[in-house]
Amino acid sequence: MTALIAAGAANMTQTPANKRWWQTRDGRALLWLLALTTLVVGAGIGLRDPWPADEPRFTLVARTMVETGDYLFPQRGSQLYSDKPPVFMWLQALFYQISGSWRLAFMLPSLLSALATVGLCFDLARRFYGVRVAKVAGLALLFTVHFTYMMKRAQIDPVVIALITASAYCFLREAMDPRARRFWFLGFFFAGVGVITKGVGVLGLLMPLSVWLAAKLSLPGHRYLAPDAQRAARAHAGIRWPLGMLVLLAAIGIWVVPMLWTVWREHTPEQLAYARDILLGQTAERYAKPKHHFQPPWYFVGVMLSMWLPLMLVLPWVVGAWRKARHVRRVKVLAPLLFALLVVLFFSLSPAKRDMYILPALPMLVLAFAPVLAVAERRVGYQRLLLGFVGLLALGSLLIGLAAYFGEPKLERSLIEARGPHASFVYLWILLIVLGTSMLGMLFGLRTLRVPYRAYAALTAFWLGISVVAMPVLDGSSSARELMEEVASKLGPDDQLATVAFKEQDLLQADRSIVDFGYKTPKDVQLARAIAWLKGAPKQRYVLANKQFVDHCVSATNLRHSTVANRRQMWLFGLDAIRDECVSAETPP
């Protein structure tokens, strides 16, 4: 263990004058890791549409940006969308302009975020411990189940994770050599861009605090990552924080300044409400007084022990190594570890918790665990745990597939009840059988490979199967494509369609423009406005709505169409299905 720590600086490969960086051992290792990341995370891109809960919302906002040309004020349907800043939607719109396909564009920011996060983690581990440990760290991060799953989703969190990791990376690089002051300011810049992606992007600024605490707790002689760091840091201590904060504000101002200028110039009530909510209601107020996702303070402990596998299998060796080895009291170990703990603590203090909130802590935790993990991978005990975890995943897939394919009707019936009657799941059962069999074959048949590589090969097969087969099979029901195709078949080419209590995927998949009555408008007000809209052209206008919001006003006997889609009973109806007492009711403003 101590040898790994001491070898870090010596193993930092300098590119020879007659070689390009990609021709070196370090460069080849990085390219191989990035290629594997592209395969695992990028598989399936272009084979499915956005899925709830969040993907359709962001894609709809990005599509509206492209259609309207308004990139300062994100819009969901007919109302402004003030829940999140626009950077993620900007990226989706940019990739659409490049690719011309929303099926490609909506996932590409997540893929690039995965590549950036894995690459930055690899580079820090390489500089700290050498290329062998760096490969171990990169693979551990890539195949942590929570990380892989999130990076294959088109949500804001992958981009935020990449930006927070980039900010932390820059601060650690500056701590390694404070004379490289550009990294100090880049750290603030990435934190600022993180803020206008999602408010918690500012958490990258926890790394300077972590480095300072690590220096206080470290052994004498190991308080900085470079011998002259203390002298260089003191030389610029008085001015670098104020200048860094100016860089942070400049990065935030990329969007906030033109947005506020437009609000001041045009002064519309909608824009004023948007600016007030996005700058106040969706930041500190949402953290301190959330409205949903309530969980106990210890919630994230369960998330890490369950979703951060197989990384967390190394914990017994981490505890054992850290109890005996003095290497722990070094900044290169303590700073990433303290950063991860501070991120988890920050989110634990809020009443609202979701599993993906703490993912920005994962890359730094992998970096802190990396030298122990490199040693544990050669221990029989850890190898058995790793084989057991992946083996259980493979065996579970095989048994579920066999049970469903050979006659367990409850599995398919439950899927049909939730997703609709038109989907066929036989390919899903065949996939699970093939996946389980092939994964077990890789784990116990590829004896020439080391156990970790067998496990990662099996996990690669698992994610490829899920991405290339399972997601396309489930896409029609999950994305609402089948629902909107059914709706289109019940309407004429000139018929008009409106929606009550809409879901973003409905608008995305529609074959025509859909009238909505405001996402945040109360459901009863939306229905009353929809009825008034139907009166304007009773023979050409129809409404699509979730049964639970309209059944008190709509007669089931006069429906144009009724179907189940993505756990919703959807009704398509015209004015003739509205009960008399609702037709005559006064329309709210």
Side-chain angles (χ1 to χ4, degrees):
M1 180 68 61
T2 306
L4 281 176
I5 301 295
N11 288 337
M12 288 172 57
T13 306
Q14 299 295 323
T15 305
N18 61 339
K19 283 189 175 183
R20 303 292 184 182
W21 69 268
W22 58 83
Q23 297 175 318
T24 65
R25 181 188 177 208
D26 295 20
R28 289 194 301 271
L30 176 59
L31 289 177
W32 172 82
L33 183 62
L34 294 181
L36 182 61
T37 303
T38 303
L39 176 66
V40 172
V41 177
I45 292 180
L47 299 181
R48 70 173 180 91
D49 294 299
W51 288 12
D54 298 323
E55 291 181 351
R57 181 185 320 137
F58 301 134
T59 308
L60 178 65
V61 171
R63 192 180 75 174
T64 305
M65 286 178 172
V66 173
E67 292 172 349
T68 64
D70 187 354
Y71 290 86
L72 293 178
F73 297 92
Q75 189 171 325
R76 174 172 56 184
S78 60
Q79 292 181 331
L80 295 182
Y81 175 67
S82 59
D83 287 11
K84 296 291 185 293
V87 167
F88 177 68
M89 287 74 86
W90 286 354
L91 291 174
Q92 289 185 317
L94 172 64
F95 285 121
Y96 172 76
Q97 300 285 10
I98 295 172
S99 68
S101 168
W102 284 113
R103 273 197 162 193
L104 293 174
F106 88 99
M107 277 298 303
L108 288 177
S110 296
L111 173 59
L112 292 184
S113 298
L115 291 168
T117 307
V118 171
L120 292 171
C121 182
F122 172 92
D123 191 61
L124 282 175
R126 177 185 69 86
R127 293 174 185 277
F128 286 177
Y129 309 115
V131 69
R132 186 174 75 82
V133 177
K135 287 192 289 186
V136 170
L139 289 170
L141 176 61
L142 173 60
F143 287 105
T144 297
V145 172
H146 201 186
F147 180 84
T148 317
Y149 172 78
M150 187 53 58
M151 291 298 169
K152 294 181 75 64
R153 300 284 293 168
Q155 297 182 343
I156 291 180
D157 297 274
V159 177
V160 174
I161 293 165
L163 289 169
I164 292 175
T165 302
S167 179
Y169 170 92
C170 291
F171 287 125
L172 281 174
R173 287 293 306 274
E174 191 271 344
M176 292 171 66
D177 184 5
R179 293 168 297 184
R181 279 174 284 172
R182 66 185 182 279
F183 286 108
W184 176 260
F185 298 113
L186 281 172
F188 280 93
F189 175 79
F190 286 121
V193 176
V195 170
I196 58 174
T197 305
K198 192 176 182 180
V200 295
V202 75
L203 290 179
L205 297 186
L206 290 176
M207 185 53 81
L209 173 62
S210 301
V211 171
W212 179 79
L213 289 173
K216 294 293 184 182
L217 297 172
S218 63
L219 292 168
H222 298 285
R223 292 182 176 171
Y224 292 90
L225 296 178
D228 60 347
Q230 185 174 9
R231 182 175 65 255
R234 287 176 177 174
H236 305 289
I239 194 171
R240 63 179 188 161
W241 269 99
L243 289 177
M245 294 305 295
L246 287 177
V247 173
L248 175 79
L249 293 175
I252 296 173
I254 293 172
W255 166 65
V256 170
V257 170
M259 184 270 291
L260 290 178
W261 168 258
T262 304
V263 171
W264 177 82
R265 187 184 59 192
E266 299 183 2
H267 210 70
T268 67
E270 294 80 11
Q271 291 176 348
L272 284 170
Y274 171 86
R276 188 180 299 112
D277 189 45
I278 192 69
L279 297 179
L280 300 176
Q282 297 297 328
T283 51
E285 182 178 330
R286 188 166 183 172
Y287 176 84
K289 298 179 181 179
K291 298 178 181 178
H292 41 63
H293 303 306
F294 296 104
Q295 298 291 347
W298 56 86
Y299 171 74
F300 290 122
V301 175
V303 171
M304 291 186 288
L305 292 178
S306 58
M307 299 185 71
W308 288 15
L309 293 172
L311 173 67
M312 285 300 179
L313 297 176
V314 79
L315 274 180
W317 286 266
V318 168
V319 173
W322 287 2
R323 266 185 8 202
K324 294 184 286 188
R326 289 164 59 86
H327 83 271
V328 178
R329 293 185 61 186
R330 297 169 184 253
V331 172
K332 66 175 69 175
V333 176
L334 281 175
L337 177 65
L338 289 170
F339 178 86
L341 293 176
L342 288 173
V343 169
V344 174
L345 177 62
F346 173 83
F347 287 111
S348 297
L349 293 176
S350 173
K353 301 173 183 67
R354 296 179 69 188
D355 58 81
M356 71 279 292
Y357 287 176
I358 58 167
L359 267 174
L362 180 61
M364 292 300 110
L365 189 67
V366 169
L367 183 62
F369 284 4
V372 180
L373 187 61
V375 173
E377 282 191 348
R378 300 177 181 273
R379 302 289 186 262
V380 173
Y382 176 79
Q383 292 176 1
R384 287 174 177 170
L385 284 178
L386 190 58
L387 281 175
F389 167 71
V390 183
L392 284 175
L393 180 63
L395 186 61
S397 301
L398 177 60
L399 293 178
I400 292 173
L402 288 172
Y405 188 80
F406 289 104
E408 174 49 62
K410 291 183 180 179
L411 292 171
E412 187 158 5
R413 188 163 57 244
S414 63
L415 282 172
I416 290 175
E417 290 173 355
R419 297 179 174 273
H422 304 293
S424 174
F425 300 105
V426 64
Y427 295 110
L428 188 59
W429 311 139
I430 295 174
L431 166 69
L432 292 176
I433 295 170
V434 172
L435 271 183
T437 304
S438 60
M439 290 172 68
L440 289 172
M442 292 176 185
L443 288 175
F444 301 105
L446 300 177
R447 295 288 184 173
T448 57
L449 288 179
R450 290 173 48 211
V451 169
Y453 290 114
R454 281 187 260 161
Y456 293 146
L459 289 173
T460 300
F462 175 80
W463 287 115
L464 288 177
I466 294 297
S467 304
V468 177
V469 179
M471 287 186 172
V473 167
L474 298 174
D475 182 58
S477 57
S478 295
S479 67
R481 187 183 72 248
E482 291 174 352
L483 167 66
M484 299 313 294
E485 287 174 351
E486 286 185 58
V487 170
S489 70
K490 303 299 180 181
L491 299 176
D494 298 324
D495 288 340
Q496 301 173 40
L497 183 64
T499 181
V500 171
F502 73 86
K503 296 293 185 180
E504 292 88 353
Q505 60 266 28
D506 301 340
L507 273 61
L508 276 175
Q509 296 294 340
D511 69 335
R512 66 198 71 204
S513 297
I514 297 184
V515 176
D516 74 87
F517 304 98
Y519 186 85
K520 295 185 177 181
T521 304
K523 306 297 188 298
D524 57 337
V525 176
Q526 291 188 48
L527 178 57
R529 291 177 179 174
I531 293 171
W533 178 81
L534 286 172
K535 293 177 184 178
K539 295 185 178 181
Q540 284 188 305
R541 291 183 175 180
Y542 296 89
V543 172
L544 178 69
N546 190 329
K547 169 185 177 292
Q548 73 177 94
F549 299 123
V550 301
D551 61 349
H552 63 287
C553 269
V554 177
S555 171
T557 58
N558 293 327
L559 296 177
R560 187 68 177 262
H561 185 58
S562 174
T563 188
V564 175
N566 205 3
R567 300 175 179 87
R568 298 177 293 155
Q569 180 71 44
M570 301 300 295
W571 282 0
L572 178 68
F573 56 89
L575 187 62
D576 58 341
I578 305 297
R579 302 181 194 276
D580 292 340
E581 61 270 22
C582 294
V583 173
S584 59
E586 183 178 349
T587 304

